[in-house]
Amino acid sequence: MIGFILIGTFFLLLVMRIPVAASMGLASIAGMLYEGYGILVFPSVFYAAIAKYTLLAIPFFILAGIIMDYAGISRRLIDFANACCGDRKGGLAVVTIVVACFFAAISGSGPATVAAIGGVLIPAMVRNGYEKNFATAIVASAGGIGMVIPPSIPFIIFAMLAEQSVGTMFMAGIIPGLLMGLTFAIAALFYLRNDKNIIRREKSTWKGIWTTFRKAFWGLLTPVIILGGIYGGIFTPTEAAGVAVVYGLFVGIFVYREIKVTALFRIFVDASVSSAIIMFIMGCAGAFTWILTTSAVAAKLSAALLSVSANNTVMMLIIMVIFMIAGCFVDSASGFYLLLPIILPIVKKTGYPMYAFGVLATVNFAIGQITPPVGSNLFVACNIADVTMRDLVSKVWPFLIAGIVCLLLMTFFPQIITCLPSLLGLS
Amino acid sequence: MKRLWSFLNIFEESIMVIGMTIMVFFNFFNVVCRYLLPQTPFSYTEELVILVFIWVSMFGISYGYRKGSHTILNVFTDRLPFRFQPFVIFFAAASSAVLMLLFAYTGYRMVMNQVEYEQVLPGMRIPMPFVSAAIPLGAAVTFISILKTGFEEMKGHFSRAGEKKEAAA
């Protein structure tokens, strides 16, 4: 009954256009009242859910991403990628995906990556004869890589909830992120194979490549600093995020000289609001999870799910389907809070490595960002490109298929995720 | 009234900008000091940064409501007939408002509890309410922001309804 109240209230409020976070907050209050705990525990649980040092990496990585964007790093990365592979047929589509992978190594979220690269790349693709809706779909899909290649905000949240190491998860995300990029590029080229309208640009000289590389160098150095600092034992992931902010400010103000001091105010406000939105979700979702576990609903649902099949592969596939459906409606933060209390015990039983599961689930939510009705990357991309949601959705299918292929590969071959961490002795 | 809203904007923006700056500063200097000095001068960095972060987040939630930045699912409600929209707007705003009202009230009780038992932060040895007061205050401001946004949405709806009527006539 309590499970019904919690989940029913949540979905009812959600479809009535109430913010995801508030829906969870109200649902958990309803649950608290029903179970007789009273609502006085709500603020304490909310506070406990967000007052964590690990979570501070979230505002810092968001801030670093916005700063890098203002600093003009994304534009320089685009020039460099364009010089490398822009001359081939469908080259600009590949450039978009390559740049998304690079920017993913600076930013930790999907929509931020879309915002950073879409403004330049969508008009550029349209100028070169790409269909606008498809160009927008490429950017929206490639943006999802932003949360898989480290740094990654969902990894931080998963690591905290499942008690895994953020460092290991970051390392584990690299190959899956690149694999996503590869399959997306194949999907784009396949879709474009007979497109006669695309204009091909001339091949760049080695000198051209070198010049653009030199200009993009400071941006390319960011992931080296972040990951090098974490694995070199110089600083923690949270501190790395803070260092990335200071580094971005340094590059933006003194090296590229594109950030005006007056723009800093806007940058800091934008970053604070973006992270506050996530914290609102996490606080309310924390309360939701608290009531879900204390009322033993989570355990009952786990047991019910476990009784469906004894086969580990079937179980993993069922879990993937659940995450896929959840990804259509909620973002990764809410999704993790909603599902992990139920799913984690099952994953433990199947013997799938826990941190690898976190990567897998994140890839699921990355794909969820390009599925209607709630696809945050689609929203951002629509706004940038000024296309309608309906037109955009009709063009994302090649990438949805590519993403699902990626997921299946990773489900059956967890080595794709675990090889890098085990090579470095992290797992 | 307009002055009040621009004051609220500036007030919240200032909290966020100043807060973020403090967070970045202390976090960075903690790393620098660890390598340059034999002992870090601020042993309380983590606690301080979390404290500031809670304030930034609580007021950011309110700001996000006014700017319409929170994630919502509107595919279903958009399909409802035009004349039902006022009910949707009212219900959505009222629900969020109720949550914030309860949040502010329970948060206030939590803070009072901490005052009564004289709870202090373990690192900085300052009273707990320096952090936790952000919750009732932030929730109260968010409540106001929700009312404002709901009111504006309603106004927008009825001005569109007026235009439709004119167009029909």
Side-chain angles (χ1 to χ4, degrees), chain A residues 57-66 69 99-117 139-157 170 180 226 270-271 274-275 277-278 331-333 362 365-366 369 376-377 380:
Chain A
I58 295 174
F60 288 147
F61 276 129
I62 291 177
L63 183 58
I66 299 179
D69 190 20
V99 173
C101 290
F102 275 133
F103 202 80
I106 296 171
S107 134
S109 91
T113 309
V114 174
I117 67 171
V139 171
S141 316
I145 301 171
M147 56 193 248
V148 181
I149 291 184
S152 155
I153 290 168
F155 286 180
I156 297 168
I157 298 172
F170 274 11
M180 274 173 85
I226 296 175
D270 284 353
S274 299
S275 75
I277 289 167
I278 300 181
D331 61 306
S332 54
T362 304
F365 282 114
Q369 287 183 323
S376 40
N377 286 6
V380 178

Side-chain angles (χ1 to χ4, degrees), chain A residues 1 3 51 62-63 67 93 102 120 135 167 170 172 194 220 222 234 237 249 283 290 304 314 339 357 376 386 404 410:
Chain A
M1 185 58 199
I62 291 177
L63 183 58
I67 289 172
F102 275 133
V120 181
F170 274 11
N194 291 324
L220 294 170
T222 320
I234 302 171
L249 283 175
W290 182 84
V314 176
L339 294 172
F357 177 74
S376 40
D386 196 22
I404 291 169
M410 285 182 238

